[in-house]
Amino acid sequence: MLKIRSVKKLVALILICSLVILAGCQAIGGVDINAALKKSLKVTSTEGNSSMEFKLHFNEKALLEDEYFAGDEEFISMLRLFSNVKVSITDIKMQDQQNISFKGSLTLGDLSQINFELKMSETLLIVSLDGATRSFTFDLTGETAERLMYDDFGMTYEDGEFESEYVVDDEKILATIQSATELVTDFGIEKLPNIEKVSVTPVTEEINGVSTSLMKIHGELKGMELWNWGKKLTDALLEDRTGLEKLLGEVLNLFMEDPEMIDYLGIYVSDDFTDGNITEADKKVLIDEVVTAIITSLEDMKISMVEFETKDKEILEMALNDSLEIKFDLYVDSNLDIRKQAFSLNYVVSDKMKEELGTSIFEGLTITSENEAWNVNGKVAPKVPVASGLEVQLESLDYLEGFEVLKYFDNESVIYDLLRNKLHITEQYYWNYIDEDTYNAAFVNADKFGMIPVRELIEEFGGNVKFDKATNQITVYDKATKTTIKLQIGSDKAIINGETVQWPTPVITHNGATYAPARAFATALGAEIVWNSEYGEVDITREP
């Protein structure tokens, strides 16, 4: 049963929108492209491989000399890391939309690749990562996430559920998305503009090591052709309000067949919709409102495009210069199954555009992807995820500090280095007001020393505090650094890992909370402190 709503909504949106560019292509060279695209949406099982690479080209010398970025080492490091991203997926085995397994690798910048394996069923997902000491699980029923949420609120799962009384199963959602996508595609066949540069040629390609006779469909969009295609699309949609109303009506009818689906979408139609009493008048009003909003947006877009073309044509042509190339290749077999795909986008920032932007740092980008498929709609047996009980729940990572997450990775591995030294997931930050009268706020005592609330700071850093009422002694344990600090109310002595040190001012109780001298306490935790009286705030940071 479906629990992860936001993910499913996103998948639905991607599936429905993914055909926009190609849907306008008519039958060419004896190949019905739209029929092939429609059929690809009906694929229930397949095997294959896939890869994607993103490259952001930038001028290293210009970056290091730039007055704004030159000193930002963190930004430069992230740019180098994510300016070249490659994902390769192999051994894809998809039995259906819910039962899938595959292997893959991720490469960022000049890092060595990180290999992984994923296995998924209707209820469970298991991911294994190179460098991880344990596998990770994700409960697709949503129960684990709910239990952790209840635990976080100090409640038990059995106390109740936050979910709606309506639960929609996956098969119903996928079937509805399938039907809606077909409706959108059919509309696109009639209304969306053709891509002018499309050709079809017979070829022989290796698919899973087997020579296969295919029809190669090649298409291109270049520079201002993309802009002009967008104008044609806008005009085509504006000229057919009736068609938009009909399309939207048919799509809404699919999702309005029962109250469960409406609740899943979060649509409010009328006060009676929860009882299933959705009238034709309700539908007509909703359709009219949505179509009017779409038409208004399209009209505004057209006006903006005309104005931009008129007033800033030179900038437009600089931005959409001929270096911008979008190319795609679809390889279709005699059954109209798409067996192979290739996509590329290349763009070079012109010298004039760099001058207009006032920077020569960014030089362009390249995006490429390839995939191949075999055993389409055949019998496929993916690897089945089986939990041993030793895995780490991915849902639990939201409740852990960065240093706690790292314990699941080998400290000599690529992924450990990525998480700790590149992404800095162990970095911790604490901020507070400086206000003597506010509960748990920082303040300056009579001896002019900054004071900070003990419990709030250590718990923010993932540690804990124990208080002995009988002796007024406080024991602070910092998990990240394995540091134990013993404090006594009214004393300026602190025992840190068994060693007694003197602090500049005593630990005190103030406004019902225990306070320690800010700088001494921060130093004991291995943190840096910035006390800014001018702005009335204190910042404490560390990276254990």
Side-chain angles (χ1 to χ4, degrees):
M1 303 301 286
L2 187 67
K3 299 281 187 178
I4 316 296
R5 295 187 171 198
S6 59
V7 173
K8 291 294 182 183
K9 289 181 181 180
L10 179 59
V11 171
L13 180 62
I14 291 172
L15 284 173
I16 291 174
C17 295
S18 62
L19 300 178
V20 170
I21 292 179
L22 288 178
C25 298
Q26 308 299 322
I28 298 173
V31 179
D32 190 335
I33 298 176
N34 284 293
L37 290 170
K38 284 186 189 180
K39 193 171 183 182
S40 71
L41 294 171
K42 297 180 180 180
V43 171
T44 55
S45 62
T46 187
E47 297 182 65
N49 299 316
S50 182
S51 67
M52 187 282 291
E53 186 168 13
F54 167 82
K55 290 183 178 181
L56 178 65
H57 308 292
F58 65 94
N59 186 316
E60 179 88 13
K61 184 173 182 295
L63 177 66
L64 295 175
E65 293 177 351
D66 186 88
E67 62 179 0
Y68 183 77
F69 295 113
D72 194 338
E73 292 297 329
E74 184 174 352
F75 171 79
I76 293 173
S77 175
M78 289 297 99
L79 182 60
R80 288 172 178 155
L81 188 64
F82 290 101
S83 62
N84 190 354
V85 179
K86 185 174 182 179
V87 180
S88 296
I89 307 294
T90 61
D91 199 24
I92 299 170
K93 294 182 183 297
M94 184 178 78
Q95 178 180 316
D96 52 42
Q97 296 288 341
Q98 297 170 301
N99 294 274
I100 303 168
S101 68
F102 56 79
K103 296 178 180 179
S105 65
L106 169 68
T107 305
L108 299 174
D110 58 1
L111 288 181
S112 299
Q113 68 182 28
I114 300 169
N115 298 318
F116 59 87
E117 183 176 10
L118 179 145
K119 290 173 279 189
M120 184 177 78
S121 67
E122 293 93 337
T123 58
L124 179 66
L125 181 148
I126 296 182
V127 179
S128 301
L129 291 165
D130 268 4
T133 56
R134 294 159 68 180
S135 295
F136 297 87
T137 63
F138 189 84
D139 179 4
L140 295 173
T141 69
E143 183 177 321
T144 297
E146 286 189 12
R147 287 184 180 277
L148 289 169
M149 179 173 60
Y150 274 87
D151 289 344
D152 194 42
F153 286 133
M155 303 166 61
T156 63
Y157 179 73
E158 288 70 24
D159 288 336
E161 294 191 18
F162 292 143
E163 283 291 324
S164 163
E165 61 182 298
Y166 298 118
V167 179
V168 186
D169 63 58
D170 288 349
E171 290 184 5
K172 180 183 291 185
I173 290 294
L174 293 172
T176 303
I177 290 171
Q178 179 75 43
S179 299
T181 304
E182 290 178 9
L183 289 171
V184 174
T185 305
D186 288 341
F187 180 76
I189 292 173
E190 297 180 0
K191 297 302 174 186
L192 298 181
N194 288 332
I195 296 174
E196 295 179 5
K197 297 178 182 178
V198 180
S199 62
V200 176
T201 55
V203 296
T204 300
E205 290 285 323
E206 292 282 324
I207 304 292
N208 192 31
V210 177
S211 294
T212 309
S213 297
L214 303 165
M215 298 299 288
K216 176 184 177 181
I217 304 164
H218 177 77
E220 294 183 19
L221 278 172
K222 190 174 184 179
M224 287 295 294
E225 291 173 359
L226 183 61
W227 178 268
N228 293 329
W229 185 87
K231 285 169 55 181
K232 290 178 183 178
L233 171 59
T234 305
D235 289 338
L237 293 174
L238 281 171
E239 290 169 2
D240 193 18
R241 182 186 178 104
T242 301
L244 278 172
E245 290 175 343
K246 181 175 181 294
L247 171 65
L248 186 60
E250 292 173 339
V251 171
L252 285 176
N253 281 334
L254 290 172
F255 287 98
M256 288 183 172
E257 289 178 350
D258 57 63
E260 293 178 2
M261 192 67 74
I262 294 169
D263 182 71
Y264 163 74
L265 290 173
I267 293 177
Y268 175 83
V269 180
S270 72
D271 290 336
D272 298 323
F273 86 94
T274 53
D275 299 323
N277 298 321
I278 306 163
T279 67
E280 289 301 318
D282 288 328
K283 294 179 186 177
K284 189 176 185 307
V285 169
L286 182 59
I287 290 168
D288 184 67
E289 288 179 354
V290 174
V291 172
T292 298
I294 293 173
I295 294 294
T296 300
S297 297
L298 289 169
E299 288 173 341
D300 291 342
M301 182 184 297
K302 184 174 181 179
I303 291 171
S304 297
M305 291 178 79
V306 171
E307 287 181 351
F308 198 78
E309 247 183 350
T310 303
K311 298 179 180 179
D312 298 292
K313 188 174 182 180
E314 185 178 354
I315 293 177
L316 178 63
E317 291 177 345
M318 276 194 291
L320 298 180
N321 61 70
D322 284 346
S323 74
L324 173 61
E325 286 186 313
I326 297 175
K327 297 181 180 180
F328 66 87
D329 294 305
L330 300 180
Y331 297 82
V332 182
D333 66 15
S334 57
N335 294 321
L336 290 183
D337 288 322
I338 298 175
R339 303 292 302 282
K340 189 174 181 179
Q341 300 178 51
F343 170 86
S344 67
L345 183 152
N346 291 287
Y347 179 65
V348 177
V349 181
S350 67
D351 291 337
K352 287 185 177 179
M353 196 65 197
K354 290 177 184 177
E355 186 178 342
E356 180 70 26
L357 294 172
T359 178
S360 58
I361 294 175
F362 300 104
E363 298 184 328
L365 63 87
T366 302
I367 301 173
T368 58
S369 69
E370 294 183 3
N371 64 74
E372 61 179 18
W374 59 90
N375 197 14
V376 178
N377 287 328
K379 187 175 181 180
V380 179
K383 294 181 180 180
V384 179
V386 178
S388 66
L390 299 176
E391 297 85 3
V392 180
Q393 296 172 337
L394 279 170
E395 300 93 333
S396 69
L397 299 186
D398 279 343
Y399 300 89
L400 299 180
E401 294 291 331
F403 67 86
E404 294 175 303
V405 173
L406 277 184
K407 70 183 180 181
Y408 298 121
F409 298 93
D410 181 346
N411 58 14
E412 298 297 324
S413 66
V414 174
I415 194 167
Y416 182 94
D417 177 61
L418 172 66
L419 294 174
R420 182 180 180 84
N421 302 319
K422 305 293 192 303
L423 299 180
H424 301 283
I425 71 164
T426 65
E427 190 171 49
Q428 296 177 309
Y429 175 70
Y430 172 83
W431 175 91
N432 205 339
Y433 293 104
I434 299 175
D435 185 349
E436 185 174 357
D437 298 323
T438 301
Y439 173 73
N440 258 355
F443 73 97
V444 178
N445 68 9
D447 295 325
K448 306 300 181 184
F449 286 103
M451 305 295 289
I452 204 78
V454 171
R455 183 178 295 275
E456 184 176 84
L457 175 57
I458 193 61
E459 289 184 350
E460 185 71 21
F461 282 175
N464 56 58
V465 176
K466 292 182 180 179
F467 178 61
D468 187 335
K469 290 184 179 179
T471 62
N472 273 344
Q473 188 177 68
I474 299 163
T475 301
V476 175
Y477 181 67
D478 180 27
K479 295 180 184 178
T481 61
K482 296 181 174 57
T483 298
T484 299
I485 305 173
K486 293 186 177 182
L487 307 171
Q488 186 82 35
I489 300 296
S491 172
D492 60 359
K493 301 291 192 301
I495 303 173
I496 303 175
N497 288 336
E499 182 180 346
T500 301
V501 298
Q502 183 165 344
W503 280 358
T505 192
V507 173
I508 63 170
T509 300
H510 178 75
N511 287 341
T514 301
Y515 280 74
R519 193 167 301 278
F521 190 30
T523 300
L525 297 175
E528 295 183 359
I529 182 170
V530 175
W531 189 279
N532 196 323
S533 300
E534 181 181 355
Y535 292 98
E537 63 184 35
V538 58
D539 299 275
I540 300 177
T541 58
R542 71 173 185 175
E543 191 170 356

